[in-house]
Amino acid sequence: MLEIEKISVRFNSFGLQDVSLKVEQGDYLALLGVSGAGKTVILEVLAGLLKPQSGRILLHGNDITSLKIQQRRIGLVYQDLSLFPHLNVEKNIAYPLRNKKFSKKEVQSRIKELAKQTGIPHLLKRYPGTLSGGEAQRVALARTLASDPEILLLDEPLANLDVKLKSGLRGLLQQINRSGKTIIHVTHEYMEVATLANKVAVIENGRLVQTGTPESVFRHPESEFVAHFSGVKNIFPCRIEGNGNNNGLKKATLGKACEILFVGNEEVGSGFVIVSQEDIILSEGPLDTSAVNQLHGFIREVYLSGSAMEVVVSAGVDFVVAVSRKSFEKMNLKPEKPIWLNFKASSVKFIKN
Amino acid sequence: MLKNWRLGLVFLFLSGLILLFIVAPLLGMFLQTSGDQYLETIADAEVRRSIRLTLLASLAGTVLFGIAAIPLSYILARKEFFLKGLVNGLVDLPVVIPHSAAGIALLGIVSRGTLLGKAGEAAGIQFVGGVGGIVLAMSFVSIPFLINAARDGFAGVPSRLEKAALNLGASPWRVFFTISLPLARRSIYTGLVMMWARGLSEFGAVVIIAYHPMVAPVLIWERFASFGLAYARPVAAVFVAVCLAVFVVMRLLSKKQIHARN
């Protein structure tokens, strides 16, 4: 188990502040944050390339904060991969093996094994300068795995790859993780996290702002930042001015006059409300359902989003609603059409300022 | 378009003028020397001896001081420290001071009464009027070429590659010898060639420390001062031809290395 305890690193205008995190053996942790949030700094601190000013790092209970880089057994794959340009693929993979007392035969057999695992046996004699982005990424992974790290740190491993290559590499990362390797994966794309990680830590301006399973973080974001990051589109600043009409429900005013009801304890104040686009039902008239929020508006625009459609409805504020192609065609949804939005009070999440 | 054409013409003219300025005197020297004079000069044992001494003394200086200078180049490229600017300036000092002054300065520390002079004598190395002094003088004036080229070479190696190697479990020694040095080797090689070439041509510092045994530049000057231009020119032509030949071979070897890597 890896434990990070109150790590702080200060630069001139930026720093990590009291970052604490626990990573269990076999976890796939995604460190999620925008560029410059401090994700790579955390990786460099873990790898020993940067010394923290305070805090400590424990690996299986042993303090490794001051341990030499080469003794940590924490493998880092940089975003630029840092393959050695003067060595061919085979020698790149052999590099960490030659640091250990392996015989030539053992080195060769390990290279073959790793090349097979990462799908690069045909690239062994090539030089890094001749590899494509996806190939280079696999070589970098094979080389780091050759050092037999306890923890694999990946800095934006899927960035700059096309969709097909991403999918292949995602499969490889899953396979490496399933074989028992703990992975910490830095990314700014929440979709990467959703498909790979079993734990997420969101970092903002050098601080960890939320950690948990991808589901808990994305379904229940604890800040506007996390909500924006997790792909929530219906997030609105609001005011709470007292109880709603219904028992136990609170009323939030969005924009100038749009009012919605939600389940909560807040009396007065301001904050943000989030309505998941999957929780909103569109109808051509008011519905007789348990959904207490029924708003009338008109369609502002429609666009294709993956295999479904997204409809932007103006009802005082602009809501984004996901609908299937079939429903879209059946309801003949098009711009300017009057429409009703229906969602439950329990679908509304309030985040206090 | 017209302006571009005019600009091209001006640039071409000025470039041609500069190349002519470099090539014309050398070409003139080669053309004004007859075939007989070449043969006579090559057969002259004193000329052959001085050229051999010049080539070997400069090579010895390059190898000895070159090995010691590479760590300094690495430190200057990688580390930040107090008075780094001053150290960089010190490295360039031998280039900017008059070489006769460099010879005088060196003589001050290697003459017989000095600590270094006594140590040299005890070890059988004669600095004043000896090969040891020639090697020292050549190295003193030429070492900045190596240090600067090697420093630029190390600076061009991304430090991330060194960090990646450390992260893969390599010791700092192994990182230096397997990553930093091989990746900077093109610049280091160029620096070594430049140092060696600059050492060959040194006259001012060498003549003050060791008039004898005579290196080629001193011999050329001696022939010129004693017998005039007609006697000095063939020696100069043969020496320049030898230097050019060695230089071309070095360049070819350097290119071959680069191709092999790619």
Side-chain angles (χ1 to χ4, degrees):
Chain A
M1 186 171 72
L2 178 75
E3 290 168 89
I4 304 170
E5 289 179 359
K6 293 193 166 186
I7 287 290
S8 292
V9 182
R10 280 176 288 278
F11 300 109
N12 286 341
S13 58
F14 166 80
L16 288 184
Q17 296 163 53
D18 290 334
V19 170
S20 295
L21 198 60
K22 272 186 188 170
V23 187
E24 301 286 343
Q25 184 71 34
D27 267 354
Y28 196 123
L29 170 85
L31 260 179
L32 191 62
V34 293
S35 298
K39 311 183 296 286
T40 304
V41 176
I42 294 184
L43 294 193
E44 292 197 327
V45 167
L46 289 177
L49 300 169
L50 272 178
K51 278 222 164 96
Q53 270 99 19
S54 61
R56 55 185 201 148
I57 304 162
L58 304 172
L59 185 60
H60 306 314
N62 301 317
D63 190 340
I64 60 162
T65 321
S66 305
L67 201 64
K68 284 182 180 169
I69 304 168
Q70 58 268 37
Q71 291 168 353
R72 291 199 175 205
R73 296 194 61 208
I74 294 182
L76 169 62
V77 180
Y78 276 111
Q79 187 175 359
D80 71 359
L81 307 176
S82 296
L83 292 174
F84 305 135
H86 59 305
L87 304 179
N88 67 16
V89 169
E90 187 177 13
K91 286 179 180 163
N92 261 282
I93 300 173
Y95 193 86
L97 297 171
R98 297 208 193 286
N99 294 323
K100 297 170 182 175
K101 304 249 182 291
F102 286 125
S103 69
K104 269 191 178 176
K105 207 175 162 189
E106 282 169 323
V107 169
Q108 281 309 314
S109 122
R110 188 83 183 110
I111 290 171
K112 271 188 188 167
E113 197 182 304
L114 287 162
K116 196 177 163 199
Q117 186 187 359
T118 50
I120 51 165
H122 58 296
L123 303 175
L124 289 177
K125 298 295 172 198
R126 297 253 302 268
Y127 277 83
T130 68
L131 302 175
S132 70
E135 288 170 342
Q137 187 66 258
R138 284 168 182 269
V139 173
L141 269 173
R143 186 181 69 174
T144 306
L145 287 173
S147 66
D148 193 25
E150 294 232 18
I151 295 167
L152 190 56
L153 309 176
L154 309 172
D155 193 356
E156 302 271 10
L158 303 179
N160 309 320
L161 296 183
D162 64 35
V163 177
K164 198 179 163 196
L165 288 174
K166 262 187 192 173
S167 154
L169 202 63
R170 211 177 268 141
L172 175 61
L173 294 176
Q174 273 170 335
Q175 178 209 322
I176 292 169
N177 180 235
R178 274 200 296 269
S179 72
K181 196 71 76 191
T182 308
I183 295 180
I184 299 179
H185 171 148
V186 153
T187 179
H188 63 274
E189 280 189 44
Y190 91 101
M191 277 307 288
E192 275 183 32
V193 173
T195 54
L196 284 167
N198 68 325
K199 264 189 193 167
V200 177
V202 184
I203 183 166
E204 181 190 9
N205 290 332
R207 283 181 183 277
L208 280 187
V209 288
Q210 195 173 350
T211 55
T213 62
E215 200 194 349
S216 68
V217 171
F218 298 143
R219 296 287 295 177
H220 308 289
E222 287 169 6
S223 69
E224 184 205 358
F225 177 80
V226 177
H228 269 303
F229 223 89
S230 56
V232 171
K233 291 183 178 167
N234 296 317
I235 176 161
F236 308 107
C238 69
R239 300 182 309 279
I240 301 168
E241 286 153 351
N243 291 336
N245 295 334
N246 300 45
N247 233 356
L249 297 182
K250 304 291 173 190
K251 187 170 75 180
T253 307
L254 284 50
K256 281 183 181 164
C258 178
E259 292 179 345
I260 63 170
L261 299 169
F262 69 97
V263 182
N265 301 319
E266 287 72 20
E267 291 300 325
V268 285
S270 61
F272 291 85
V273 288
I274 294 169
V275 188
S276 164
Q277 54 175 336
E278 285 79 15
D279 290 340
I280 304 175
I281 294 168
L282 291 179
S283 64
E284 288 177 338
L287 292 179
D288 186 16
T289 70
S290 60
V292 294
N293 290 302
Q294 300 199 342
L295 307 173
H296 188 237
F298 66 92
I299 297 174
R300 191 183 284 280
E301 57 181 315
V302 293
Y303 50 85
L304 190 64
S305 172
S307 57
M309 300 297 293
E310 283 192 344
V311 179
V312 181
V313 177
S314 181
V317 291
D318 285 353
F319 286 85
V320 180
V321 185
V323 292
S324 68
R325 277 277 183 96
K326 199 175 168 188
S327 303
F328 178 79
E329 281 162 15
K330 192 176 158 193
M331 292 179 73
N332 190 26
L333 300 173
K334 56 186 178 190
E336 306 299 328
K337 182 174 178 167
I339 202 87
W340 284 79
L341 298 162
N342 309 276
F343 51 91
K344 292 180 171 187
S346 58
S347 304
V348 180
K349 162 123 182 119
F350 174 75
I351 301 171
K352 204 171 177 182
N353 256 358
Chain B
M1 192 68 197
L2 187 68
K3 275 184 183 172
N4 280 347
W5 179 78
R6 279 183 182 160
L7 183 77
L9 204 66
V10 170
F11 274 37
L12 206 66
F13 173 73
L14 289 174
S15 304
L17 212 62
I18 292 297
L19 286 175
L20 197 67
F21 173 64
I22 296 169
V23 173
L26 294 173
L27 206 61
M29 183 176 72
F30 286 124
L31 293 177
Q32 283 168 15
T33 307
S34 68
D36 287 346
Q37 282 176 313
Y38 276 118
L39 290 175
E40 228 172 81
T41 309
I42 292 166
D44 185 337
E46 193 183 19
V47 172
R48 287 211 308 270
R49 206 167 37 241
S50 75
I51 290 178
R52 193 169 53 239
L53 172 66
T54 313
L55 293 173
L56 291 177
S58 187
L59 186 66
T62 304
V63 171
L64 286 174
F65 285 87
I67 291 169
I70 285 170
L72 173 62
S73 311
Y74 184 79
I75 290 169
L76 289 174
R78 278 285 182 267
K79 308 289 177 194
E80 290 305 323
F81 54 87
F82 183 59
L83 295 180
K84 183 177 171 180
L86 180 70
V87 175
N88 271 319
L90 284 177
V91 165
D92 284 332
L93 212 54
V95 177
V96 295
I97 60 171
H99 288 181
S100 49
I104 299 285
L106 275 174
L107 196 59
I109 60 159
V110 298
S111 56
R112 286 195 175 91
T114 65
L115 201 67
L116 205 61
K118 283 178 189 166
E121 256 174 43
I125 301 167
Q126 194 185 340
F127 289 117
V128 181
V131 178
I134 295 172
V135 170
L136 217 59
M138 284 177 166
S139 304
F140 182 83
V141 297
S142 61
I143 206 159
F145 292 90
L146 171 64
I147 296 173
N148 289 334
R151 182 191 57 206
D152 293 347
F154 284 126
V157 178
S159 59
R160 208 161 246 212
L161 293 180
E162 293 169 345
K163 287 180 179 177
L166 285 171
N167 182 251
L168 291 168
S171 66
W173 283 99
R174 184 164 183 242
V175 174
F176 180 75
F177 283 109
T178 58
I179 306 296
S180 321
L181 202 57
L183 286 174
R185 73 175 173 189
R186 190 179 167 182
S187 300
I188 293 172
Y189 184 79
T190 305
L192 286 168
V193 171
M194 288 305 294
M195 181 180 172
W196 180 73
R198 181 64 195 83
L200 293 180
S201 60
E202 182 50 27
F203 170 77
V206 172
V207 80
I208 285 176
I209 291 191
Y211 192 89
H212 286 285
M214 252 184 227
V215 291
V218 176
L219 181 69
I220 293 166
W221 181 78
E222 201 251 356
R223 294 266 169 115
F224 176 70
S226 309
F227 308 108
L229 184 62
Y231 287 87
R233 189 189 291 130
V235 183
V238 168
F239 181 56
V240 171
V242 170
C243 290
L244 281 177
V246 177
F247 208 63
V248 167
V249 170
M250 293 279 192
R251 294 281 296 206
L252 288 176
L253 280 175
S254 152
K255 273 192 179 161
K256 219 173 171 182
Q257 271 190 346
I258 295 153
H259 287 314
R261 195 195 310 165
N262 291 335

